[in-house]
Amino acid sequence: MLLTKAEIRFAMLGGAASLAGVVGFVGVAIFALFPSSGASILTAVFEPYVLRVLRFTLLQALLSTLLSIAFAIPVAQALARQQHFPGRIWIVRLMAVPMGLPVLIGALGLIGIWGRHGIMNAVLLSLGVAEPVSIYGLSGILLAHVFFNMPLACRLMLAALERVPAEYWLMASGLGMRRRSVFRFVEWPVLRSVIPGIAGLIFMLCATSFTLVLTMGGGPAATTVEVAIYQSLRFDFDPGRAVALSLLQIVLTAVILGALSILPAPRDEGITAGKAVRRADGEQPGARLMDGTVLLLATLFLVLPLMSVVFAGLRSDLMKLSRESIFWQSAATSFAISISAAVLALLISIMLVRARRAVLLRRTGAAGAGAFFAAMGGASSLVLLVPPIVLATGWFLALRSFSDASAAAPLLIVAINALMSLPFVMRVVEPAFIVHKRRTQKLAASLGVTGWVQLRLIDMPALFKPMLMAFSFAMALSLGDLGAVALFGSDSFVTLPWLVYSRMGSYRTNDADGLALILGIVCLLLTIAGTMGPVRREVALHG
């Protein structure tokens, strides 16, 4: 026993308190969604409008998933074949940028390229095409979802292809396989094993998309369930419909998560001697030209919107924006919320991780210990079942009966953003914490080092890097979020994303571009800060 009974008891009490807090916060929101009459919910669910919104939600998620997967396959193949392509490492890194980019900024960049006055329409007009391409509606939603999700799918597929043993490629080369045969007998079996999981993840992200649909939707004909919840409360003030839509969203996410849980795990590709990979199918001039073209198009698809944000932001009057009191007010609010949310997420994750380790170290068959261990692990994923806009709706309905819900908006948004980032924080902190304790706990126990001294001299130096990474990413995620703020935003409560969206809605696009550039730079710096410093071996392997 490397922990005393008091330490185990303290750790488990902290985990229980964190679990109770998370479950209680989510539970209150869900409970508030149930009005006194269940019949009214059933009636609202089967309204033509609600059914139309559900059909569109599923349709756009399905089409977005298919397009993201279809475009990711040739890009992943080209990256896997061309191991020495100039700038390959930067293309791979570029694939990670949309995943860390605030959604609202990505939407602005896409509008700058594909919008009515964007580059693509200017080119089409110069070619004599009078009717401009519209980015709003279903086409804009699909384009935006592909922009954010194709890179994710590509990175996951590339990782799978890079796990294929070098002997497979050597055998394919020895048999003189052409590209079609290589795809059929080597690449496709590998991709087929990972595509269901990737597709399920992307479908989940698209079905619960809020900011992109709010920005690019273009009206009632292109509205998802989450956006309809927001519209029902913010504009129509129809709590009954909002409740029905919220419960429908919970059922939808539960079904998707259930389907994801039964998907087969990617199979092992076989034993390898660790030889360097040599892809003969990518060495011919024709193959290099084709792969180079694919990579160039993919790079332009991702880079042009980002460049549009930068250039548009630099053209705006940044000095004028910096003199506006609303800018500093929104910046202070955003930083206060994001720092508080990141600290809260980090504290909850640490308490849950310590409690889970204490359960493992008890080594007793106490009734409920396994369930307690699993419940603490699942607490971080509750936000996947109950999305932020549903949590905000539930708490809005719960508080409006007692007081002004807007007065509690900052605290609610801090809690919602903390839960939103908790899955990521847990996945960064727990492996690093477990590995560190496994390597140092015996030595610390033999030396009698405990408490504050152990934390200061042993734990913090080793865990500082993963904790900084988790904190910075949680802060960046909260800083760029519009979901929960959209329901409570007002003239007296403004965050940077809400200010950007408000300026877009009032056609002050120059101001929106400048604010988006500032927000993007801050989020980028936070992302870089999370990856700075020397990487310890245990963090690199498990963090």
Side-chain angles (χ1 to χ4, degrees), residues 102-103 210-211 388 413 416-417 420 475-486 495-498 519 523:
V103 174
F210 175 77
T211 304
I413 293 174
I416 291 172
N417 285 350
M420 181 176 63
M475 186 175 170
L477 187 64
S478 176
L479 193 64
D481 178 62
L482 181 65
V485 179
T495 64
L496 279 176
W498 179 250
L519 180 60
C523 290

Side-chain angles (χ1 to χ4, degrees), residues 353 425-436 538 542-543:
V353 168
V425 174
M426 281 282 289
R427 282 161 178 77
V428 173
V429 171
E430 185 167 27
F433 182 86
I434 296 299
V435 171
H436 166 69
E538 62 267 23
H542 301 277

Side-chain angles (χ1 to χ4, degrees), residues 45-63 138 203 221-225 245 248 252:
V45 166
F46 288 99
E47 286 183 4
Y49 170 76
V50 174
L51 294 177
R52 186 171 69 249
V53 167
L54 177 61
R55 282 196 301 269
F56 181 82
T57 300
L58 297 175
L59 174 64
Q60 62 85 21
L62 177 62
L63 293 177
L138 179 60
F203 189 89
T223 299
T224 59
V225 174
L245 288 164
L248 185 62
L252 178 61

Side-chain angles (χ1 to χ4, degrees), residues 165-330:
E167 290 79 4
Y168 284 31
W169 307 117
L170 182 62
M171 182 178 296
S173 176
L175 294 174
M177 285 186 179
R178 298 183 179 275
R179 290 180 59 149
R180 182 178 298 179
S181 298
V182 170
F183 175 75
R184 179 182 176 186
F185 295 108
V186 182
E187 291 178 320
W188 177 243
V190 175
L191 295 175
R192 186 177 57 196
S193 69
V194 298
I195 282 177
I198 297 172
L201 175 61
I202 293 176
F203 189 89
M204 177 75 177
L205 294 173
C206 296
T208 57
S209 178
F210 175 77
T211 304
L212 278 180
V213 180
L214 184 66
T215 307
M216 318 289 279
T223 299
T224 59
V225 174
E226 290 205 8
V227 174
I229 295 170
Y230 163 76
Q231 293 171 341
S232 297
L233 285 178
R234 185 84 184 187
F235 300 115
D236 304 331
F237 199 74
D238 187 346
R241 177 179 289 174
V243 167
L245 288 164
S246 298
L247 295 175
L248 185 62
Q249 182 67 50
I250 293 175
V251 172
L252 178 61
T253 52
V255 170
I256 299 173
L257 287 174
L260 284 174
S261 66
I262 63 176
L263 289 175
R267 62 183 179 86
D268 186 7
E269 302 307 332
I271 300 174
T272 177
K275 296 180 179 180
V277 173
R278 180 175 176 270
R279 295 286 302 269
D281 58 329
E283 294 178 354
Q284 295 84 3
R288 290 181 177 178
L289 177 61
M290 186 178 298
D291 290 339
T293 302
V294 169
L295 294 178
L296 176 62
L297 292 175
T299 302
L300 289 175
F301 178 69
L302 297 177
V303 166
L304 286 178
L306 302 179
M307 293 176 61
S308 174
V309 171
V310 173
F311 291 146
L314 292 176
R315 286 198 302 267
S316 65
D317 193 344
L318 294 176
M319 293 302 297
K320 180 181 75 71
L321 289 175
S322 66
R323 291 192 295 267
E324 293 183 2
S325 60
I326 188 64
F327 166 74
W328 293 106
Q329 176 189 339
S330 62

Side-chain angles (χ1 to χ4, degrees), residues 249-532:
Q249 182 67 50
I250 293 175
V251 172
L252 178 61
T253 52
V255 170
I256 299 173
L257 287 174
L260 284 174
S261 66
I262 63 176
L263 289 175
R267 62 183 179 86
D268 186 7
E269 302 307 332
I271 300 174
T272 177
K275 296 180 179 180
V277 173
R278 180 175 176 270
R279 295 286 302 269
D281 58 329
E283 294 178 354
Q284 295 84 3
R288 290 181 177 178
L289 177 61
M290 186 178 298
D291 290 339
T293 302
V294 169
L295 294 178
L296 176 62
L297 292 175
T299 302
L300 289 175
F301 178 69
L302 297 177
V303 166
L304 286 178
L306 302 179
M307 293 176 61
S308 174
V309 171
V310 173
F311 291 146
L314 292 176
R315 286 198 302 267
S316 65
D317 193 344
L318 294 176
M319 293 302 297
K320 180 181 75 71
L321 289 175
S322 66
R323 291 192 295 267
E324 293 183 2
S325 60
I326 188 64
F327 166 74
W328 293 106
Q329 176 189 339
S330 62
T333 302
S334 291
F335 275 98
I337 288 174
S338 60
I339 292 173
S340 302
V343 170
L344 181 60
L346 196 58
L347 289 176
I348 292 174
S349 66
I350 290 173
M351 287 191 286
L352 291 175
V353 168
R354 291 179 72 248
R356 280 164 61 84
R357 177 172 174 265
V359 171
L360 293 177
L361 290 179
R362 287 184 67 181
R363 297 178 181 176
T364 62
F372 182 49
F373 180 86
M376 288 187 293
S380 64
S381 301
L382 273 179
V383 72
L384 300 177
L385 178 64
V386 188
I389 190 66
V390 177
L391 287 174
T393 301
W395 274 96
F396 176 85
L397 296 174
L399 292 176
R400 75 187 182 102
S401 304
F402 303 99
S403 62
D404 183 11
S406 60
L411 294 178
L412 287 177
I413 293 174
V414 166
I416 291 172
N417 285 350
L419 288 182
M420 181 176 63
S421 58
L422 195 58
F424 171 81
V425 174
M426 281 282 289
R427 282 161 178 77
V428 173
V429 171
E430 185 167 27
F433 182 86
I434 296 299
V435 171
H436 166 69
K437 286 298 183 181
R438 187 184 301 132
R439 294 180 176 180
T440 62
Q441 59 190 1
K442 291 183 179 179
L443 179 61
S446 65
L447 295 175
V449 179
T450 59
W452 169 251
V453 177
Q454 181 181 4
L455 178 66
R456 182 172 61 89
L457 298 180
I458 299 177
D459 294 340
M460 284 306 300
L463 296 177
F464 177 78
K465 178 66 168 57
M467 289 175 64
L468 175 63
M469 178 185 295
F471 179 86
S472 62
F473 275 97
M475 186 175 170
L477 187 64
S478 176
L479 193 64
D481 178 62
L482 181 65
V485 179
L487 197 60
F488 297 101
S490 63
D491 292 338
S492 59
F493 181 67
V494 183
T495 64
L496 279 176
W498 179 250
L499 184 61
V500 174
Y501 180 73
S502 301
R503 295 292 169 91
M504 290 175 62
S506 58
Y507 299 101
R508 298 171 65 179
T509 54
N510 286 338
D511 289 353
D513 292 334
L515 293 168
L517 178 61
I518 295 172
L519 180 60
I521 290 174
V522 172
C523 290
L524 178 62
L525 292 177
L526 285 171
T527 303
I528 294 174
T531 57
M532 287 177 61

Side-chain angles (χ1 to χ4, degrees), residues 115-133:
R116 178 174 291 273
H117 302 291
I119 294 175
M120 295 306 299
N121 275 318
V123 172
L124 291 175
L125 286 174
S126 67
L127 295 176
V129 180
E131 186 67 24
V133 175

